[in-house]
């Protein structure tokens, strides 16, 4: 067993897509799934809190963390089953999600092309059940392997055990309990493109349409709508789209009959948080070192040197403003840690 190397006064600015100024008392890279028991033992021995970080694309990191931040850097994966109806692909938690998408496309497999370009790692993908352009990871989920920090054992989760829902899974119920180690997806041979979403429907009818063509269109769409975190640091959608009762949505729809509203199977409706923020007059709004993107009102950006406090203050301002304008409560998507 290799000893874990704790790096003191670890700078995390380059390890979060919001590029927040953030340090941790210690940092450590975890490159093997077998190292988790030793990591938790070490943290307990030193009496320090432990924080697990993947790609840092869905977090608001506190300026100073008095503990150990572990970067999940386990890589690897491939095709693990090639059946007549489907191919099962696996990737380790530290792989970049988009690279995994490209791997499947290179193998001629369709199924996750609509999820191309989403920042972050494979390990984070099932936690919030990442989704875009009418697809989500739950649609093709086969199983995952996770380290249970309470029992110190590794266990497999099936789809139903993950309790996937819109941007939700069992891994959010008990934050910190499980660390995802690897993910398996089942990609059907009989691929059907999912072109329902505006922007993709124009591909409808393309002869011999391939998953790669859909992926390229998705990447182009994302580039045209969302700021690139490498250029303008951000954490993607900062709020979930609120799913509300028809009664709660009524004032919005009475004033704006064409407001985006997506009926849900349970009778409620999903409103668009970006639309609500824009209609509240906040698109492009700036508050200190944080702001709202001028390109997409759901994206909060770091204007330079922002800390978690700047982002939190802006997020509170947005929630209060939308609540008083429309009576709708917004909920943050990224985890404050
Ligand atoms: N809209 C506005 N103003 C804006 C932005 C959007 O009025 O500034 C309106 C749009 O015109 C559209 C509606 O809001 O009618 C929805 O916008 P969009 O199609 O951009 O999608 P979204 O609901 O804002 C969701 C996901 C994104 C995903 C896109 C595309 C959530 C919280 N966000 O955004 O995921 O890429 O759909 O499928 O569900 C992420 O989670 O980080 C993320 C980027």
């Amino acid at each position: 067993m290799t000893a874990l190397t704790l790096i003191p006064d670890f700078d995390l600015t380059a390890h979060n897509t919001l590029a927040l100024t953030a340090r941790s008392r210690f940092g450590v890279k975890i490159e093997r799934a077998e190292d988790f028991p030793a990591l938790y033992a070490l943290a307990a021995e030193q009496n320090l809190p432990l924080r697990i970080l993947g790609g840092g694309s869905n977090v608001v990191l506190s300026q100073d963390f008095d503990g150990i931040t572990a970067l999940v850097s386990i890589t690897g994966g491939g095709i693990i089953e090639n059946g007549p109806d489907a191919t099962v692909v696996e990737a380790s938690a530290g792989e970049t999600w988009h690279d995994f998408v490209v791997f499947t496309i290179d193998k001629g497999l369709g199924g996750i092309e609509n999820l191309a370009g989403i920042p972050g790692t494979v390990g984070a993908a099932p936690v919030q059940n990442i989704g875009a352009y009418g697809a989500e990871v739950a649609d093709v989920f086969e199983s995952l392997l996770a380290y249970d920090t309470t029992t110190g054992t590794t266990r497999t989760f099936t789809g139903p055990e993950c309790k996937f829902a819109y941007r939700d899974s069992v891994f959010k119920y008990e934050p910190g309990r499980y660390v995802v180690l690897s993910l398996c997806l089942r990609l059907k041979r009989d691929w059907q493109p999912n072109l329902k979403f505006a922007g993709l429907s124009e591909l409808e009818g393309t002869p011999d349409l391939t998953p790669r063509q859909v992926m390229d269109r998705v990447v182009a769409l994302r580039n045209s709508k969302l700021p690139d975190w490498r250029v303008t640091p951000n954490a993607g959608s900062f709020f979930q789209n609120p799913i509300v009762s028809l009664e709660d949505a009524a004032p919005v729809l009475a004033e704006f009959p064409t407001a985006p509203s997506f009926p849900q199977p349970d009778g409620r409706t999903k409103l668009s948080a970006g639309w609500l923020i824009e209609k509240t007059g906040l698109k492009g709004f700036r508050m200190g070192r944080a702001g709202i993107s001028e390109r997409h009102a759901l994206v909060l950006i770091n204007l330079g040197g922002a800390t978690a406090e700047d982002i939190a203050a802006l997020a509170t301002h947005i929630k209060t403003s939308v609540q008083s304008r429309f009576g709708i409560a917004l909920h943050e998507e990224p985890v404050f840690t």
Side-chain angles (χ1 to χ4, degrees):
M1 194 168 85
T2 44
L4 296 172
T5 314
L6 292 185
I7 305 160
D9 194 24
F10 197 75
D11 188 351
L12 291 163
T13 315
H15 292 281
N16 73 101
T17 61
L18 262 167
L20 297 180
T21 306
R23 307 192 82 83
S24 179
R25 184 155 155 198
F26 294 107
V28 61
K29 262 191 171 187
I30 303 296
E31 288 168 340
R32 305 178 327 151
E34 310 87 87
D35 286 340
F36 278 102
L39 174 67
Y40 280 84
L42 183 68
E45 189 189 295
Q46 308 241 350
N47 203 17
L48 286 172
L50 183 56
R51 185 170 67 175
I52 306 291
L53 200 60
S57 62
N58 197 44
V59 286
V60 179
L61 296 181
S62 55
Q63 197 170 353
D64 286 298
F65 180 65
D66 192 19
I68 303 171
T69 302
L71 303 172
V72 180
S73 313
I74 316 163
T75 54
I79 291 176
I80 58 165
E81 190 189 310
N82 228 336
D85 302 326
T87 300
V88 178
V89 285
E90 182 185 39
S92 295
E95 290 287 345
T96 299
W97 171 261
H98 179 71
D99 293 349
F100 184 38
V101 176
V102 172
F103 167 81
T104 63
I105 299 289
D106 286 346
K107 296 285 176 203
L109 300 165
I112 51 174
E113 59 285 349
N114 290 33
L115 306 180
I118 297 181
T121 55
V122 164
V127 175
Q128 57 153 333
N129 184 20
I130 58 168
Y133 303 105
E136 51 186 31
V137 87
D139 302 340
V140 287
F141 183 87
E142 169 75 0
S143 66
L144 66 74
L145 211 59
Y147 177 66
D148 182 345
T149 63
T150 334
T151 60
T153 56
T154 297
R155 64 164 280 197
T156 302
F157 281 81
T158 62
E161 285 169 337
C162 291
K163 300 194 184 348
F164 289 123
Y166 168 65
R167 290 297 195 275
D168 199 25
S169 76
V170 72
F171 307 106
K172 282 190 164 182
Y173 301 1
E174 293 175 86
R177 173 158 181 187
Y178 298 103
V179 181
V180 176
L181 301 174
S182 61
L183 174 69
C184 285
L185 304 179
R186 177 171 290 271
L187 306 177
K188 290 202 186 100
R189 290 223 169 277
D190 164 30
W191 173 71
Q192 297 296 335
N194 177 352
L195 306 174
K196 290 180 296 237
F197 204 90
L200 295 183
S201 50
E202 58 212 59
L203 288 175
E204 207 89 59
T206 308
D208 303 321
L209 185 67
T210 63
R212 188 181 299 279
Q213 284 172 293
V214 179
M215 176 179 79
D216 290 346
R217 177 59 63 95
V218 165
V219 170
L221 260 182
R222 290 185 73 93
N223 289 342
S224 72
K225 280 190 171 195
L226 297 163
D228 182 348
W229 62 270
R230 296 169 196 86
V231 181
T232 310
N234 71 80
S237 299
F238 203 85
F239 299 98
Q240 295 186 3
N241 286 329
I243 299 177
V244 299
S245 66
L246 294 183
E247 197 185 337
D248 287 346
V252 178
L253 297 172
E255 189 180 347
F256 298 99
T258 58
S261 173
F262 307 94
Q264 300 296 297
D266 64 3
R268 295 185 296 165
T269 194
K270 182 152 82 176
L271 299 176
S272 158
W275 184 93
L276 291 166
I277 295 167
E278 178 165 348
K279 279 287 181 272
T280 303
L282 289 173
K283 196 168 185 173
F285 178 77
R286 291 171 166 227
M287 195 165 149
R289 292 171 292 193
I292 301 173
S293 169
E294 282 169 7
R295 295 179 62 192
H296 199 297
L298 199 46
V299 179
L300 269 59
I301 58 175
N302 178 354
L303 299 170
T307 62
E309 282 184 6
D310 296 310
I311 296 290
L314 176 58
T316 301
H317 178 73
I318 296 169
K319 290 203 292 185
T320 312
S321 305
V322 170
Q323 179 76 50
S324 69
R325 174 67 178 87
F326 290 112
I328 303 282
L330 293 183
H331 300 285
E332 286 94 348
E333 174 48 44
V335 177
F336 285 72
T337 177

